[in-house]
Amino acid sequence: CIIKWLKSTIILLKMLHYIETYRQRHPLRGDHIAQFKEKYFTQILDHFNYNSLGNGTYAQRYLITDQYWKKDGPIFFYTGNEGDVWDFALNSGFILELAAEQRALVIFAEHRYYGKSLPFGDESFNIPNIGLLTVEQALADYAVMITELKKELGAGKCPVIVFGGSYGGMLSVYMRIRYPNIVAGALGASAPILSTAGMGNSGQFFRDVTADFENCSTACKDAVRSAFQKLQALAQQEDYAHIQSAFSLCKTPSSPKDIHQLNGFLRNAFTLLAMMDYPYKTSFMSDMPAFPVKVACETMLNGTDMLLALRDTVGIVYNSTGEHACYDLYSLYVECADPTGCGLGFNSFAWDYQACTEVELCFESNNVTDMFPPMPFTESMREQYCAKRWAVVPRPGWLKTQYWGDALSTASNIIFSNGDLDPWANGGIRKSLSESLIAINIPEGAHHLDLRASNTADPDSVTKARQKEAQVIAQWVKTAREKTV
Amino acid sequence: CIIKWLKSTIILLKMLHYIETYRQRHPLRGDHIAQFKEKYFTQILDHFNYNSLGNGTYAQRYLITDQYWKKDGPIFFYTGNEGDVWDFALNSGFILELAAEQRALVIFAEHRYYGKSLPFGDESFNIPNIGLLTVEQALADYAVMITELKKELGAGKCPVIVFGGSYGGMLSVYMRIRYPNIVAGALGASAPILSTAGMGNSGQFFRDVTADFENCSTACKDAVRSAFQKLQALAQQEDYAHIQSAFSLCKTPSSPKDIHQLNGFLRNAFTLLAMMDYPYKTSFMSDMPAFPVKVACETMLNGTDMLLALRDTVGIVYNSTGEHACYDLYSLYVECADPTGCGLGFNSFAWDYQACTEVELCFESNNVTDMFPPMPFTESMREQYCAKRWAVVPRPGWLKTQYWGDALSTASNIIFSNGDLDPWANGGIRKSLSESLIAINIPEGAHHLDLRASNTADPDSVTKARQKEAQVIAQWVKTAREKTV
């Protein structure tokens, strides 16, 4: 009897082992979450001043999984951006799928001043503590972390590939041009390295948001524009009660400032709908239905009152679960130095600071090339705001000096991927610059769709993009390994 | 009569014009001094923190001459190092000769915290003011200065080539790898980029100093070693009176500390003799006769008392004009975090700080591979000293992380020139790494001899090196110009 029991136990264990092995090789979506270990790295606080307040260290969070790693396999390192690192880890399944395929160690590093990587805890956003939040410090963090973790893990020969989306994609690109001694290649997904370096057009962003809705239907774009115009007319008549009731506002607006806030709140919903226009339900920057732009246009064109339609459309973003009986404008949207939105909570402070210093985001809507009310945001408005909010003077052109702008001829091993649906795309590199500076454009792609896990609803274009990315990255790894052997 | 006078005046003016034109095209040594305009650039004080004490600007000195420049000609930019910028301008005549040949604008920029480029005036060397002295800040200074001056001068299309010697050569190399968007190529002369990044051997420097004297004659090296041994014996007997009289010291030494200081003072003279072993009289880091190592060895082997011979040998360095009746050890040599010498005055503070933070200079003499007394200088001794002196913790390996160490495969357009006589040479790149990472070795060259103006006493090897450098730089300029057109 005992022998029988032992036999069946062994069979059971073998089965479990088989399943586990299979699962590791063929990860499923949603299966990745539990695999990461959350750790903290003792990081140098100020890489560029030996006598500053930052003469110390802080605890930088990172997530790591070696479940796919084979000895001497590559390291896939996500250069965290403006948010909690889990948000990126849970929305970048492609990196894990690729890791399973290429037997890579995966690390997601959290950007200083975001998530739980707060150098001064709750005091991190005070002046002058906030001063240690710069792109250069963040890159140095990653350079040091990679160097040290490789030593710790005995992974000295493992080629490192960096990944990132949006600002994280910019960081990935920067890592490769700044630290090619440490990083063998970079996938910068939806990385607007030109527009944020002051090399774009101030009307580009909201023009491209508008284009997404116009592509859905011209009537949709026209309806949005008309609704904003009607709002403007009511505001000019100071018919604030009507505005409150039409938009279900918790408080009656009482000034042009409130109307400005309302316009920002409304416009921001369209920004998010356009950026997150994925072909399936997602919960990244907010909860979104599949094809949110299409859903928004249907809502916009449904019903007879255009203001109510506009309210319901932004409700897709702000009220997906119906938790708001009314909208509190100032808590649901925070105006900041980034007209495309700073998010809410701690992150909004940090990102606002970055938009006030290095990252140029002087995007405006003008109601000529876009469907939104004219909302200028000039360099001088930025200066005024930033001096008052953070006691800083923004440095236009600095990212161009530091990270080369479009003068990338000496760079190599970078993929610039962009989705045509993404309003950030045209602030990035859209044409290959050389054999190893590769632009991949994804016609049906929104904001870094390619970084997301594969999905049955994926358009062919993103599947092909991921295949191309996988192939290029495998080649980088191969070449890098040949060099170190 | 008036017509006659006018005619002769015109002839005279024509002659003067001809002479001036000729002079500009064919500059003579010593002729360059008057041509530079001394200017100040309003420079950002802290490039990496928007809320620091450096939230402002400082006046950065630079020298500029357009006497050779033709429209759209290149810009030759000297990345100033640890000293008064005039010292480099007056000892880098090759750059001006090359400018005359290639019709270049010439700029010599002064490094922050040196010469007259003191961000906080007399308070610059206080803690925490000194904290803004880093390699990264200095490079950013140059990047910003080049970018702005190009705009000011309408020189947007002019390719920039950077030049530098020693630490200045390191900065030139770094400028090209860090800012290839701004700099088309770099001549890093005698740039010890490996040893200063902790990738060298602690015995290398004084071994190579010793080799220079040994190459002169083995007897010379033996005499130096014997003299140091005799000094050591006297010190062990505490025969301080004998030591004082033998070395003409102003004060009688009274402790091992004083003897240590004396040893440092003596060893430093040999360091300078080796570094400045030029084939003609110079006045760079100190007044030197032609072939100073040869002169030193003649002095060393002249006379019967080896201590007096040693005294007279170091006198070549410390007492060339005979101004010292006796030697005040602590004023003529300052011990610091750089065992090869920190210089005197303001510069010594700044360089000491750099050696305490980023620039690793843990060179030791050991009396085995060199002729000097054993004078250890370990990383932990450095740490102790630097904590006490500057309240900083040195960061070994940081330059390797930041500026790639020997992982230069993605870099391009750099000449690494080194003289075989130079004790710094073997801390640098001695073999070409690719077609555009070119090592030029100069068998008869001391410390960046190639940067000096041509001289009838020049060995063929340096003339050939300069020709090669001129040819490579002309090619860089041509290629860069083709790209911008």
Side-chain angles (χ1 to χ4, degrees):
Chain A
C1 180
I2 286 176
I3 290 173
K4 224 177 177 178
W5 177 82
L6 268 176
K7 269 189 182 171
S8 63
T9 304
I10 286 168
I11 290 168
L12 184 68
L13 284 173
K14 273 190 180 172
M15 274 176 65
L16 283 172
H17 178 255
Y18 177 78
I19 291 169
E20 174 64 9
T21 308
Y22 182 83
R23 204 183 54 76
Q24 284 188 13
R25 297 284 167 81
H26 303 83
L28 301 167
R29 263 193 328 123
D31 197 14
H32 315 304
I33 303 163
Q35 313 292 332
F36 279 114
K37 279 181 205 137
E38 186 177 283
K39 295 195 169 186
Y40 285 85
F41 180 82
T42 303
Q43 184 59 267
I44 292 167
L45 191 40
D46 191 342
H47 297 280
F48 304 107
N49 190 326
Y50 290 71
N51 284 105
S52 79
L53 60 94
N55 202 346
T57 59
Y58 79 98
Q60 182 173 22
R61 184 164 58 160
Y62 66 101
L63 312 178
I64 187 165
T65 175
D66 60 4
Q67 68 189 106
Y68 313 114
W69 197 30
K70 72 159 188 230
K71 202 175 140 46
D72 290 345
I75 298 172
F76 291 171
F77 187 95
Y78 186 93
T79 54
N81 34 314
E82 73 282 23
D84 187 298
V85 69
W86 277 109
D87 287 345
F88 307 115
L90 297 182
N91 285 280
S92 308
F94 169 60
I95 298 170
L96 292 161
E97 293 172 4
L98 199 65
E101 198 180 297
Q102 304 193 1
R103 312 290 301 275
L105 179 73
V106 180
I107 299 171
F108 276 74
E110 189 162 73
H111 193 296
R112 55 166 63 199
Y113 288 84
Y114 294 95
K116 292 197 171 166
S117 300
L118 304 178
F120 303 94
D122 290 350
E123 310 282 306
S124 297
F125 306 98
N126 298 350
I127 298 166
N129 291 354
I130 186 83
L132 295 176
L133 171 55
T134 63
V135 170
E136 191 71 12
Q137 299 274 12
L139 297 176
D141 281 349
Y142 297 147
V144 168
M145 188 191 273
I146 292 170
T147 305
E148 293 301 316
L149 290 185
K150 281 181 84 168
K151 270 187 223 162
E152 241 176 61
L153 297 162
K157 286 183 179 176
C158 301
V160 177
I161 306 295
V162 286
F163 296 76
S166 197
Y167 167 55
M170 290 165 55
L171 295 176
S172 288
V173 173
Y174 297 167
M175 278 303 286
R176 172 62 189 169
I177 66 176
R178 182 70 191 79
Y179 297 105
N181 49 327
I182 293 170
V183 160
L187 168 53
S190 303
I193 61 163
L194 301 182
S195 55
T196 55
M199 301 176 76
N201 176 303
S202 64
Q204 173 262 315
F205 188 87
F206 292 107
R207 182 197 71 202
D208 291 353
V209 172
T210 301
D212 283 352
F213 292 85
E214 188 170 19
N215 287 342
C216 190
S217 83
T218 308
C220 176
K221 182 195 80 171
D222 292 343
V224 175
R225 174 176 271 145
S226 299
F228 273 111
Q229 279 164 350
K230 181 153 185 202
L231 166 59
Q232 181 60 15
L234 290 175
Q236 266 164 358
Q237 297 154 26
E238 300 190 5
D239 193 350
Y240 293 132
H242 188 160
I243 293 171
Q244 178 189 20
S245 95
F247 288 100
S248 305
L249 307 180
C250 302
K251 287 183 194 160
T252 317
S254 62
S255 66
K257 178 174 168 284
D258 289 345
I259 299 302
H260 177 80
Q261 177 70 13
L262 174 58
N263 276 326
F265 164 84
L266 297 170
R267 189 182 65 177
N268 197 235
F270 289 91
T271 297
L272 288 167
L273 289 162
M275 281 170 62
M276 305 299 137
D277 193 19
Y278 301 125
Y280 48 86
K281 210 168 163 297
T282 59
S283 307
F284 180 37
M285 287 167 73
S286 63
D287 288 328
M288 285 284 176
F291 297 109
V293 168
K294 191 164 153 276
V295 173
C297 281
E298 283 162 8
T299 310
M300 219 34 236
L301 297 171
N302 190 16
T304 49
D305 187 307
M306 62 175 83
L307 291 190
L308 297 184
L310 182 54
R311 179 200 62 191
D312 293 344
T313 301
V314 306
I316 299 167
V317 175
Y318 294 116
N319 210 14
S320 61
T321 55
E323 76 266 39
H324 298 293
C326 62
Y327 290 128
D328 178 357
L329 283 184
Y330 289 92
S331 78
L332 287 170
Y333 174 69
V334 178
E335 193 174 52
C336 73
D338 177 359
T340 75
C342 271
L344 294 171
F346 269 1
N347 294 345
S348 76
F349 296 146
W351 186 243
D352 187 32
Y353 184 79
Q354 296 203 259
C356 266
T357 49
E358 296 171 295
V359 185
E360 274 180 84
L361 295 160
C362 287
F363 296 120
E364 313 179 295
S365 55
N366 54 35
N367 202 247
V368 178
T369 53
D370 57 64
M371 64 193 180
F372 303 109
M375 295 178 79
F377 187 61
T378 61
E379 197 53 64
S380 86
M381 289 166 75
R382 182 186 182 212
E383 263 180 37
Q384 261 190 312
Y385 168 81
C386 296
K388 202 173 158 191
R389 175 65 185 91
W390 296 108
V392 296
V393 181
R395 214 176 291 160
W398 179 241
L399 287 187
K400 187 181 168 193
T401 295
Q402 279 292 92
Y403 305 107
W404 315 0
D406 59 355
L408 293 168
S409 64
T410 61
S412 59
N413 291 14
I414 304 174
I415 297 170
F416 305 93
S417 69
N418 278 293
D420 290 0
L421 303 182
D422 182 12
W424 291 104
N426 290 319
I429 302 287
R430 300 285 266 158
K431 283 184 189 164
S432 294
L433 301 172
S434 73
E435 257 185 38
S436 76
L437 295 174
I438 302 162
I440 296 181
N441 295 312
I442 306 161
E444 290 94 354
H447 203 42
H448 48 73
L449 171 62
D450 49 333
L451 288 189
R452 302 186 65 82
S454 51
N455 188 295
T456 48
D458 278 334
D460 269 2
S461 60
V462 79
T463 307
K464 278 184 190 153
R466 290 193 192 115
Q467 281 163 356
K468 171 80 179 168
E469 288 163 4
Q471 171 216 322
V472 170
I473 288 166
Q475 188 56 49
W476 290 343
V477 169
K478 188 165 169 275
T479 308
R481 205 194 309 277
E482 282 162 7
K483 266 185 207 160
T484 56
V485 171
Chain B
C1 181
I2 286 176
I3 290 172
K4 223 174 174 179
W5 177 84
L6 269 176
K7 270 188 178 171
S8 63
T9 304
I10 287 169
I11 290 169
L12 185 68
L13 285 174
K14 275 189 178 171
M15 275 176 63
L16 284 174
H17 179 254
Y18 176 79
I19 291 168
E20 173 63 10
T21 309
Y22 181 84
R23 203 184 56 75
Q24 284 188 12
R25 296 286 168 79
H26 303 83
L28 300 165
R29 263 195 328 125
D31 199 14
H32 315 302
I33 305 164
Q35 312 293 331
F36 279 114
K37 280 181 205 139
E38 187 176 284
K39 294 194 169 186
Y40 285 85
F41 180 82
T42 304
Q43 184 61 265
I44 292 166
L45 191 39
D46 192 342
H47 297 281
F48 304 107
N49 189 326
Y50 289 73
N51 284 106
S52 78
L53 60 93
N55 202 347
T57 59
Y58 78 99
Q60 183 174 22
R61 183 163 61 158
Y62 66 101
L63 313 177
I64 187 166
T65 176
D66 61 3
Q67 68 188 105
Y68 314 113
W69 197 31
K70 72 158 187 230
K71 202 175 141 42
D72 290 345
I75 297 173
F76 290 172
F77 187 96
Y78 187 92
T79 54
N81 36 315
E82 73 283 23
D84 186 300
V85 69
W86 276 109
D87 287 344
F88 306 116
L90 298 182
N91 285 281
S92 309
F94 169 61
I95 297 171
L96 292 160
E97 292 172 5
L98 199 66
E101 199 179 296
Q102 303 193 2
R103 312 292 300 276
L105 179 72
V106 180
I107 298 171
F108 276 74
E110 190 161 75
H111 192 296
R112 57 167 59 198
Y113 288 84
Y114 294 95
K116 291 196 171 166
S117 300
L118 304 178
F120 301 94
D122 290 350
E123 310 283 307
S124 296
F125 306 99
N126 298 351
I127 298 166
N129 291 352
I130 187 82
L132 296 176
L133 170 56
T134 63
V135 170
E136 191 72 9
Q137 298 274 13
L139 297 177
D141 281 349
Y142 298 147
V144 168
M145 187 190 273
I146 292 169
T147 306
E148 292 300 316
L149 290 184
K150 282 181 85 169
K151 271 188 221 160
E152 239 176 63
L153 297 161
K157 287 183 179 174
C158 301
V160 177
I161 307 295
V162 285
F163 296 77
S166 196
Y167 168 54
M170 290 163 55
L171 295 176
S172 288
V173 172
Y174 297 167
M175 279 302 286
R176 172 61 189 169
I177 66 177
R178 183 72 193 75
Y179 296 105
N181 50 327
I182 293 172
V183 161
L187 168 52
S190 302
I193 61 165
L194 300 182
S195 56
T196 57
M199 301 176 76
N201 176 303
S202 63
Q204 172 264 316
F205 188 87
F206 292 109
R207 181 198 72 201
D208 290 354
V209 172
T210 300
D212 283 352
F213 291 86
E214 187 170 20
N215 287 343
C216 190
S217 82
T218 309
C220 176
K221 183 195 78 169
D222 292 343
V224 175
R225 174 176 271 146
S226 299
F228 273 109
Q229 279 164 349
K230 180 152 184 200
L231 165 59
Q232 181 60 14
L234 290 175
Q236 268 165 354
Q237 296 153 26
E238 300 190 7
D239 193 351
Y240 293 132
H242 188 160
I243 293 171
Q244 178 188 19
S245 97
F247 288 100
S248 305
L249 306 181
C250 301
K251 286 182 194 162
T252 317
S254 63
S255 67
K257 179 173 167 286
D258 289 344
I259 299 302
H260 179 80
Q261 177 70 15
L262 174 60
N263 276 327
F265 164 83
L266 296 171
R267 190 182 66 176
N268 197 234
F270 289 91
T271 297
L272 288 168
L273 288 162
M275 281 170 62
M276 305 299 138
D277 193 20
Y278 301 124
Y280 48 85
K281 209 168 163 298
T282 57
S283 307
F284 179 37
M285 288 168 72
S286 63
D287 288 328
M288 284 285 177
F291 296 111
V293 168
K294 191 164 153 274
V295 174
C297 281
E298 282 161 8
T299 310
M300 216 38 232
L301 297 171
N302 191 15
T304 47
D305 188 305
M306 63 176 81
L307 292 188
L308 297 183
L310 181 54
R311 178 199 64 190
D312 292 344
T313 302
V314 305
I316 299 167
V317 174
Y318 294 116
N319 209 14
S320 61
T321 56
E323 76 267 37
H324 297 293
C326 62
Y327 290 128
D328 178 356
L329 284 183
Y330 288 92
S331 78
L332 286 169
Y333 174 70
V334 177
E335 194 174 50
C336 73
D338 177 1
T340 76
C342 270
L344 295 171
F346 269 1
N347 294 344
S348 75
F349 295 146
W351 186 243
D352 187 33
Y353 184 79
Q354 295 202 261
C356 267
T357 49
E358 296 171 295
V359 185
E360 275 181 83
L361 294 159
C362 287
F363 296 121
E364 313 179 296
S365 53
N366 53 35
N367 203 248
V368 177
T369 53
D370 58 64
M371 63 192 179
F372 304 109
M375 296 178 78
F377 187 62
T378 61
E379 197 53 64
S380 86
M381 288 167 75
R382 182 188 182 211
E383 264 180 37
Q384 261 191 311
Y385 168 81
C386 296
K388 201 173 158 191
R389 176 65 186 89
W390 296 108
V392 296
V393 181
R395 214 175 291 161
W398 179 240
L399 288 187
K400 187 180 168 194
T401 296
Q402 280 291 92
Y403 304 107
W404 314 358
D406 59 355
L408 294 168
S409 65
T410 60
S412 59
N413 291 12
I414 304 175
I415 297 170
F416 304 93
S417 68
N418 278 293
D420 289 359
L421 304 182
D422 182 12
W424 291 102
N426 290 319
I429 302 288
R430 301 285 266 158
K431 283 183 190 167
S432 294
L433 302 172
S434 73
E435 256 185 39
S436 76
L437 295 173
I438 302 162
I440 295 182
N441 294 315
I442 306 162
E444 292 94 353
H447 204 43
H448 48 72
L449 171 62
D450 50 332
L451 287 189
R452 303 187 63 82
S454 53
N455 187 294
T456 48
D458 278 334
D460 268 3
S461 60
V462 78
T463 308
K464 277 183 191 153
R466 291 193 191 113
Q467 282 163 357
K468 172 79 178 169
E469 287 163 5
Q471 172 217 321
V472 170
I473 288 166
Q475 189 55 47
W476 289 343
V477 169
K478 189 164 168 277
T479 308
R481 206 194 308 279
E482 282 162 6
K483 267 186 208 161
T484 56
V485 169

